[in-house]
Structures are given as C-alpha cells and as structure tokens.
Amino acid sequence: MPRKLIIILSAFSLLTVVTLIFSVQHKSPETVYASDNLIRLHVAANSDSTADQDLKRKVRDEIIRYTEPEFLKAENLDSARSIARANLGGIKEVAAREISAQGKAYPVRVELDSFPFPTKHYGPFILPAGDYEAVKVTIGAGGGANWWCVLFPPLCFVDMSKLAESSTTEYGAAGENLPLPGAKESDS
C-alpha cells in the first residue's frame, strides 16, 4: 500500500477511536422512573384538526395553571393521588370553561385511572412503556393527538413559554423526544 493511503487510514482510525472514547466518557447517565411512582396528566384532543389541537393546548395550559399550586405541595405519591382525586371536578370545570370560551361545545371527561403509555425518553430520563396512573382529560371524541406530562413528581409545571415552545412538536415517525421537565404530544 502506498504510504499516503496508510497515513490517511491511520488518521481516520485514530479519529474514530477518539470520537468513541469521548462519546462514552461524556454520556449522561440515564434515569429510569418506575411507573408505580408517578401520576401523569394526559389530555386527548377531539380530533387532529388544527382548531382542535389548538384547543387542546389552551385547555392544557389552563389545567396546568389550575393544578400547579396543589401538586407542588404533594410530598409523596399518596398525597399527590389525594390531590388529583380532590381536583377532578375542578379540572373538569376549568377544561369545560376553556372549551366554551373558545366557542366549542365539546363534552369533557376527566378521570383518574391507570392507562397505557409508550416508552418516552426525555433527555437523560426514561419513562418505560407500561400502565401509569394518570389524570386523563378527554375533549369531545378524544380522537386526536394527545399530550402528556408528569404531575407527580411535579414535572409539568415549567415556564409557560417553554411549554408553548414544546407543544409545537408532534410525535411522529422520527419519535422526537423532549427534555424533562416537560411534555410530549402523541398520536397514541
């Protein structure tokens, strides 16, 4: 082999090794959250129309404003569950009021139960696929892309400008992930 080719291959090999070492050393450790230690918020839109998706985001924002002061007080899962149960009616009222304010007459259903969720990666945090306890808010038929976050521990309560920014990313074939604390929209 010509000397020039050997030098190029050696340099390329060295660069590859250095890149691999650097990526392994600087990789953030992942934290896996157990499904039995969380309560999620799940808001399902009536449909995938632009108007219904916009409505879902407005309802979501109002629910977060309403629930934030209470869930920030939760000291453990049991107290968070009690807060969720005690506020189901208020969450429904907040959602219904916003739906009406936006000129829609969709029914709204709010329930605290166990629901299946897919695996989600939020930066270094992983929420494995499985059944999670969640406050589910269904707007109208609930057939549109949905949004979720974690009520307890209180990860939903981010700066609303960051929340609005993250809401523009829909879950798609690429499966983009958003950093915690935060949320994700999905077709599931």
Side-chain angles (χ1 to χ4, degrees):
M1 257 199 271
R3 183 179 163 119
K4 190 174 185 181
L5 183 58
I6 292 173
I7 292 172
I8 290 172
L9 289 175
S10 296
F12 180 74
S13 297
L14 181 62
L15 182 63
T16 302
V17 170
V18 169
T19 302
L20 286 173
I21 291 171
F22 181 77
S23 67
V24 169
Q25 288 178 343
H26 291 86
K27 186 175 180 187
S28 300
E30 293 181 329
T31 303
V32 177
Y33 283 91
S35 64
D36 61 350
N37 230 4
L38 301 171
I39 297 178
R40 296 173 86 164
L41 173 62
H42 185 191
V43 182
N46 179 62
S47 76
D48 283 331
S49 75
T50 300
D52 282 349
Q53 290 298 308
D54 288 345
L55 176 63
K56 171 192 69 184
R57 291 179 188 101
K58 289 176 182 175
V59 168
R60 168 206 65 195
D61 292 350
E62 292 306 312
I63 290 170
I64 289 174
R65 279 186 194 94
Y66 174 78
T67 59
E68 179 179 19
E70 293 302 315
F71 277 97
L72 288 176
K73 296 176 194 173
E75 295 178 10
N76 55 48
L77 184 62
D78 288 333
S79 66
R81 187 177 292 123
S82 294
I83 289 167
R85 277 193 199 110
N87 284 280
L88 292 176
I91 292 168
K92 184 174 182 173
E93 284 178 31
V94 165
R97 184 172 43 243
E98 185 60 29
I99 291 166
S100 178
Q102 297 303 317
K104 301 289 186 181
Y106 297 138
V108 63
R109 186 174 65 248
V110 178
E111 55 192 317
L112 175 64
D113 207 340
S114 182
F115 300 96
F117 286 87
T119 297
K120 296 312 308 166
H121 294 262
Y122 300 97
F125 301 97
I126 299 174
L127 299 180
D131 291 340
Y132 286 81
E133 190 169 5
V135 173
K136 184 173 183 180
V137 179
T138 306
I139 301 169
N146 58 86
W147 177 91
W148 61 80
C149 69
V150 179
L151 284 171
F152 182 83
L155 302 176
C156 289
F157 312 115
V158 298
D159 178 274
M160 291 307 272
S161 64
K162 290 180 186 172
L163 186 62
E165 180 182 305
S166 72
S167 72
T168 61
T169 303
E170 296 292 333
Y171 181 81
E176 288 187 44
N177 297 309
L178 301 175
L180 275 182
K184 186 74 188 135
E185 295 191 43
S186 172
D187 295 327
S188 59

